Structure formats: C-alpha cells, structure tokens
Amino acid sequence: MNDSLDALEQACATAGIDAEGARLLRVGSNAVYRLKPPVIVRVSRPGADADQVRRTVAVARWLESVDYPAVRAADVDQPVAVDGYLVTFWQAVSDDGDQYASTAEVAEVLVKLHSLTAPDYLRLPELAPFANAPRRIETNTWLNPEDRAFLITMLARMRADYDRLEFTLPPGVIHGDANVGNVLRDRHGNPVVIDLDGFAVGPREWDLALTAIYYDSFGWHTRAEYEDFVRVYGFDIMAWPGYPVMRAVREFLMVTWVIQKAAESARAAAEAAKRIAALRTGASRKDWQPY
C-alpha cells in the first residue's frame, strides 16, 4: 500500500468518511483521490505547510459564504494530520470525470474573483512568485551540476526582471494558478474554480498570464479561444509591455515545478530535460506537454 493511500484511509477513519474504493486521479503537489461518496480527497506531500493547507480550507469557506463558484470544502474538521501528511476533503464538482470550462468561462470567473475583497481574518499572503523555486532547484537529486548552476543563475535573473515590472491593473485577490485546468464544469454545466492553494494578494496580471502563454507559447489554446478570454475579461495582457517578462517568469517556474517529478518517471524526466534545453537555447515551447 502506498503511503498516501495509507494516510487517506487513516484520515477518512478520523473524519468518519468511507474510504473503500478510493481511486487515484492524479499526483502533483498533492495525491488526489476520488471516493465512492461524491468526495475528493487531497493528500499533501510530507512536510507540507500546515498553515497554508488550513488557509486553503478557510478560503473555500469564505468563497462559499459569498456564493463564489469555487470547489466546496467538505463539512468535516480539517485538515487531518497523519504521519506528516495533511489530508483535506472536498465536495466533488461533477458526478464523474472532469469537463474543463471554456476560456470565456475562465475569464468570467476571474472577473468575479478580481472584484472580491478578502476578509482580514484570512491573512492572505502577498504573492511570492519565487518562494518555492530555490528549494526545488537546490535540493533536487535529479539535476546534474551544470543544469543546477544554470537554473540558479536564471532564477537570479528572473527575480531581477520581475522586480522591475510596472503593473497596469490594480492589485488584489488572485487565484495564483488561474488556467483552464483549474476551472471545471459542475454537473449543471456551470464553471467552478478548483485548486485554491495559491490564493494571495498580488497583481491581477499574474492570473491572466497562463491563458495567454497557453495560446502564445504552447499552442494549447487557439487564437479564437484567447480572443474570447480577452473579450470577457476586458484586458489583453499580451498588449502590456511587461508581458514578455511575465511569460519568461511563468515558463521558468513551470520548469522548476516539473523537475520535482523528474526522478519519479522517465516521462517526467524527458519533459524536464526538454524544458531546460529550451530555456538554454530559446527553442520553441510548442512541444512542451501539459503536466
């Protein structure tokens, strides 16, 4: 039995939820399982920040209180701590299987989100774009010395470039990882925001960047889909002078994310190596795979 499943079963016993038949959906920053009741369970990696996990649950409770279309935390005392893991429980957005929202719907929920003011008790942090990058690079056992040195040097350059950005939109509540993969349609076909871990206070441009990059750098969205996003949100980040720096920063951070998984599978290792090579050479990102 893998450790995350063992933690899930113990946490379910504590919360009074039936764990039988738990099905692993994906493994990223969390191991995500679906239970036979309409419940999604997220099991953190060992050593996750307990304050951040508690804040994620609190954000969900706040969004529910203002009727914002986000995933709802299950009505149990959480997170549940089990042997270094932190386990949280969520109402499933749909009956089975994920249906992603359109880019227009992503823009729609961002307009609503960016109109909100977070209550003081949430203590949302200021956006810290590079908070995890040094650890991901310096403690990574997969990287060779040359790639590690390259990424450390690039991190310093990305920090300096980001610090010089002059934002156009007013700062406020942001999702932190706003993209089509984090907006699902519920059983009634309505868009619902998931993955609330990155909520912060920061530049709204941060939340607009990924949809632009998914179109511009990766070709994951069509031009029409991106234009729909811009039309609904009312601002084209690609016309902002700071966009090239924002794009470079977000692409760099996507590389630091995938290197965490490189030692876990040959597929992840190949993707990480390809992305590092693209950073070195300036090669096209069109062959980057969603991860």
Side-chain angles (χ1 to χ4, degrees):
M1 179 182 298
N2 68 56
D3 291 341
S4 66
L5 183 57
D6 189 33
L8 175 146
E9 292 184 344
Q10 292 185 55
C12 283
T14 299
I17 294 175
D18 183 7
E20 186 176 353
R23 176 163 56 92
L24 180 65
L25 300 179
R26 57 188 173 273
V27 178
S29 300
N30 298 271
V32 181
Y33 293 85
R34 187 182 184 97
L35 304 184
K36 283 189 294 185
V39 172
I40 300 296
V41 185
R42 304 175 86 214
V43 183
S44 75
R45 290 177 180 258
D49 183 338
D51 287 339
Q52 181 187 30
V53 176
R54 281 191 287 268
R55 184 167 56 244
T56 299
V57 175
V59 164
R61 307 269 194 231
W62 165 58
L63 293 175
E64 182 173 12
S65 76
V66 297
D67 200 29
Y68 179 81
V71 62
R72 305 306 189 205
D75 188 18
V76 297
D77 188 14
Q78 54 176 320
V80 178
V82 178
D83 296 333
Y85 295 90
L86 296 168
V87 182
T88 53
F89 300 88
W90 304 85
Q91 297 175 18
V93 170
S94 60
D95 292 325
D96 194 21
D98 292 338
Q99 182 183 11
Y100 297 108
S102 67
T103 51
E105 289 168 326
V106 174
E108 175 189 326
V109 295
L110 283 179
V111 168
K112 293 177 182 176
L113 177 64
H114 291 172
S115 72
L116 298 178
T117 300
D120 291 341
Y121 70 80
L122 281 181
R123 297 183 179 179
L124 288 183
E126 291 286 333
L127 177 68
F130 304 100
N132 297 318
R135 174 186 52 79
R136 290 173 177 174
I137 297 168
E138 291 162 12
T139 66
N140 190 285
T141 58
W142 174 83
L143 286 171
N144 63 49
E146 293 79 11
D147 285 343
R148 190 187 321 278
F150 167 72
L151 292 176
I152 289 171
T153 299
M154 191 166 190
L155 171 60
R157 187 165 79 248
M158 291 293 97
R159 283 185 190 274
D161 289 349
Y162 183 86
D163 287 344
R164 287 193 291 268
L165 284 175
E166 295 182 4
F167 296 103
T168 298
L169 299 175
V173 176
I174 59 173
H175 178 275
D177 191 21
N179 66 80
V180 71
N182 282 331
V183 185
L184 305 180
R185 289 202 178 106
D186 67 13
R187 51 186 59 84
H188 304 295
N190 300 314
V192 174
V193 175
I194 65 169
D195 191 3
L196 312 180
D197 299 343
F199 262 65
V201 174
R204 267 53 183 266
E205 287 88 346
W206 187 262
D207 270 355
L208 306 182
L210 288 182
T211 301
I213 294 166
Y214 284 11
Y215 157 62
D216 180 36
S217 293
F218 308 141
W220 299 345
H221 293 317
T222 65
R223 180 175 183 81
E225 287 171 334
Y226 181 66
E227 288 175 346
D228 283 345
F229 179 83
V230 171
R231 172 180 53 80
V232 174
Y233 190 86
F235 180 80
D236 184 359
I237 191 176
M238 290 178 62
W240 170 53
Y243 171 68
V245 168
M246 178 68 82
R247 179 182 60 199
V249 166
R250 297 305 295 258
E251 290 175 1
F252 172 76
L253 293 175
M254 290 173 74
V255 175
T256 69
W257 188 88
V258 81
I259 63 173
Q260 299 177 104
K261 300 182 69 64
E264 298 174 6
S265 73
R267 176 174 171 265
E271 184 68 24
K274 177 174 63 182
R275 292 185 183 190
I276 292 172
L279 292 185
R280 284 185 179 278
T281 64
S284 170
R285 277 66 162 152
K286 298 294 186 186
D287 61 349
W288 287 21
Q289 298 299 312
Y291 218 95

